[in-house]
Each structure stands twice: as C-alpha cells, then as structure tokens.
Amino acid sequence: MTTRTHLLPHQRAKLLPTIVLLAGALYCLVPVAWVIVAATKASGELFSTFTFAPGTGLLDNLRDLFSYGDGRFVLWAANSALYAVVGSAASTLISTLAGYAMAKYDFRGRTVLFYAILAGVLVPGMTLAIPQYLIMSETNLVGSYWSVLLPGLISPFGIYLARVYALSSVPDATLEAARIDGAGEYRIFGSIGLPMMLPGMVTIFMLQFVGTWNNFLLPYIMLSDESKFPITVGLYTLLAKGSSEPALYGIAIVGAAVSVVPLIALLLFLQRFWRLDLLSGGLKG
C-alpha cells in the first residue's frame, strides 16, 4: 500500500499528457477513419447508413475512380507525384545548401539574412499565393508546370531546419581537419557535410513532400488545364460537379482515401533512415 501511494503523484503527472495526446490523436484520426469507411460505401449507402458502418461498394468505387474520364485520376496522381517529388527534392537540396552555409560560414549579413528567413516561416503560404501568381503572370508561366514547381523551391522552414541540423550534427573540428588536409569547400560539403546531414534532409524532404502533395490553393490559382491538375484540385472539381451528378461524391471520397496511401508508404520507407541514424549514433557512442 505504501509503494502504491508513493507512485500516485507520478502516475497523475503522466495522466494529463497522455489524455491530451490521445485526444489529439483521436481528433486527427477520426476524419481519416471516416474517409476510409465512406470509400467502401455505394452511392445509395453514403447518406442512408450509419457514418462508421462499412459499405459494400469499395470495388465498384475503385473501378469508377480509375475509369473516370479515361483514367483522369491516374493523370492527376502523376501530376501530384511530379510536383511533390521533383519540387521537394530540389527544395531539400536548396535548403540544405543554404542551411549549411548559414551554419558553417561567417559572412557579412548572415544574422540579418537568418532573421529574414525566420520571418518568412511566420508568413502563411496563403498570403503569398496572389503575389506568386502575379510574378508568374509577368513571366508568362501561369498555367504551366513551372508555375507550381518554382514557388515551392525556397522553403524558409526547410532552410531553418537545415541550419539547426548543420549546427548540431556537423562538427567544426571535422571541417577544419579536412581543410588542413587540402580539401576544397565543395568536396568538404559533398564528402562530409552532406552525409552527416542526411537524416535532416530526409525530414525536410518528407515535410516538403507532404506539404506539396496536399497543396490546393497554389495549383488551383495557377492552373486552368485539367490535365495538369494535382489530385487535390482534381478531387475538388469532382466535388463541385457532385451537385449535379451525385455519383461523383463517391468517386471523390474514394479518391481522397487512395491519395493518402503514397504518404503512408513514404513515411514507412523513410523511417529506415532515422533508424539508421540512431543506430550509427549508438555505435559511435
């Protein structure tokens, strides 16, 4: 009894954070669960059955999704992959270069530049959409793939993360030793800095990929050709047409469920890099 009473305050200290985390997880997972369950329902079941009761139309919905508009969903998925993969890879490289330079080189205006980038983190992307549209309009790029790719190349948050990670993971002594051995700055970055920053780059890439894959406003403003739409804008057009064609609601819902699959697969794949980083740290210790 004495031991149990002694542990009660410690247990109570853990109880509140656990409840908050469970509530947050529930808040995030309930919409996902609804989409997955709704994707299994036929058009007649969608609005006439219990919300979380599975339906019988999953296979029909998938067939309708991939046959809609002669495979239009596959084209939207390919566009989303183009924007997310190419844009995120380029943005990750730029963020890594900028973050490494700001962390390891002393140059005039470095502090001012860093705070300017930090201020960019605080600016919502929604407020930049119209200025970005005007810039792309002046360069005659509106409506092209470039109008969606170029605005996402510079990520203030990605640069900030890269700088923080470079400060903590790339020792100055190692860089100085390489300079003493006669290595140039490009070789030092490619042979020493880049491998050490790989786990941080994976994190930046994942955040950029998820943000680009789910991005709606920018491609909605920039693009008018349906063949260049990403999944987000494409599904929105289906919902907009759903008022006159109710069957499209089911297609849009199952499309939303399918669009989550690449994000889950990416997260599961990239986890190996974080585990490898922890393992290498343990071996070094």
Side-chain angles (χ1 to χ4, degrees):
M1 290 295 292
T2 305
T3 304
R4 183 179 179 183
T5 306
H6 179 69
L7 293 177
L8 279 177
H10 181 63
Q11 293 174 345
R12 290 172 181 170
K14 290 183 177 180
L15 184 60
L16 181 59
T18 302
I19 293 175
V20 172
L21 289 175
L22 288 176
L26 189 66
Y27 176 80
C28 296
L29 292 177
V30 165
V32 178
W34 180 88
V35 169
I36 294 174
V37 172
T40 66
K41 298 184 178 184
S43 299
E45 300 171 333
L46 189 59
F47 301 106
S48 61
T49 60
F50 177 66
T51 301
F52 290 100
T56 60
L58 177 61
L59 295 180
D60 292 334
N61 289 339
L62 289 173
R63 184 176 61 250
D64 293 341
L65 173 68
F66 287 103
S67 62
Y68 172 77
D70 295 326
R72 188 57 57 92
F73 179 79
V74 177
L75 179 61
W76 293 340
N79 291 336
S80 289
L82 172 66
Y83 299 137
V85 174
V86 176
S88 300
S91 178
T92 300
L93 180 59
I94 293 173
S95 298
T96 303
L97 289 168
Y100 176 85
M102 295 182 65
K104 297 303 174 182
Y105 295 111
D106 188 11
F107 53 89
R108 182 177 298 177
R110 184 179 67 169
T111 303
V112 175
L113 180 60
F114 171 71
Y115 283 117
I117 292 174
L118 198 59
V121 176
L122 304 177
V123 178
M126 186 179 300
T127 62
L128 300 177
I130 299 302
Q132 289 170 345
Y133 174 83
L134 295 176
I135 293 173
M136 291 297 153
S137 179
E138 290 294 326
T139 55
N140 296 320
L141 291 177
V142 171
S144 67
Y145 291 108
W146 291 109
S147 63
V148 179
L149 286 170
L150 290 179
L153 293 183
I154 306 299
S155 170
F157 188 61
I159 295 174
Y160 171 75
L161 286 181
R163 178 184 180 272
V164 171
Y165 197 85
L167 285 172
S168 61
S169 66
V170 183
D172 292 334
T174 304
L175 303 182
E176 288 299 327
R179 294 188 182 103
I180 292 173
D181 289 339
E185 296 300 327
Y186 291 107
R187 184 178 179 183
I188 291 174
F189 174 73
S191 301
I192 299 175
L194 201 61
M196 288 183 174
M197 294 182 65
L198 182 60
M201 294 174 63
V202 170
T203 302
I204 295 171
F205 178 83
M206 187 193 71
L207 294 176
Q208 283 293 111
F209 187 96
V210 173
T212 304
W213 185 271
N214 293 328
N215 193 9
F216 168 78
L217 183 61
L218 183 65
Y220 179 74
I221 292 176
M222 295 290 185
L223 302 174
S224 57
D225 185 357
E226 191 172 338
S227 64
K228 297 178 182 177
F229 284 174
I231 287 180
T232 51
V233 181
L235 294 180
Y236 173 78
T237 62
L238 289 181
L239 289 176
K241 297 176 183 178
S243 57
S244 57
E245 300 179 59
L248 294 181
Y249 280 126
I251 297 177
I253 291 173
V254 74
V258 171
S259 68
V260 178
V261 174
L263 300 180
I264 298 175
L266 177 69
L267 179 61
L268 295 177
F269 174 75
L270 294 182
Q271 277 186 339
R272 56 187 289 189
F273 293 96
W274 290 309
R275 284 199 297 266
L276 286 173
D277 180 57
L278 292 175
L279 179 61
S280 63
L283 291 176
K284 290 176 184 177

